[in-house]
Amino acid sequence: MQFEVWAPEARGVSLRLQGHAYAMERAPDRPGWWRCAAEAGHGARYGFSVDGGPVLPDPRSRRQPDGPDGPSAVVDHGR
């Protein structure tokens, strides 16, 4: 699955997914966007860390089961 986040001023962004960290890369065709691919199933919890800061939820998340400050959850619309 492809994860993306807009962080135009960031020097580095990582995806935190189910206890694992994945380095994200700048999207060469979309200024300000970062992306990476990772395996994730329905309900998997994730967030993003910008420049080594705290893990924040996905601002475009479809599901926030633990409230607005908790981790985001993957939604499988085909399920």
Side-chain angles (χ1 to χ4, degrees), residues 45-47 56-75:
R45 304 296 174 88
Y46 72 98
L56 303 171
D58 184 346
R60 300 187 307 162
S61 174
R62 299 269 186 194
R63 186 164 182 242
Q64 291 297 123
D66 300 317
D69 296 322
S72 300
V74 172
V75 175

Side-chain angles (χ1 to χ4, degrees), residues 1-38:
M1 138 170 257
Q2 184 79 17
F3 290 88
E4 299 178 317
V5 68
W6 188 67
E9 303 296 322
R11 293 181 307 273
V13 180
S14 65
L15 167 69
R16 302 298 174 89
L17 173 66
Q18 299 288 101
H20 300 281
Y22 300 87
M24 300 184 79
E25 297 180 347
R26 289 184 186 270
D29 55 334
R30 297 173 67 202
W33 286 89
W34 295 76
R35 64 184 176 200
C36 75

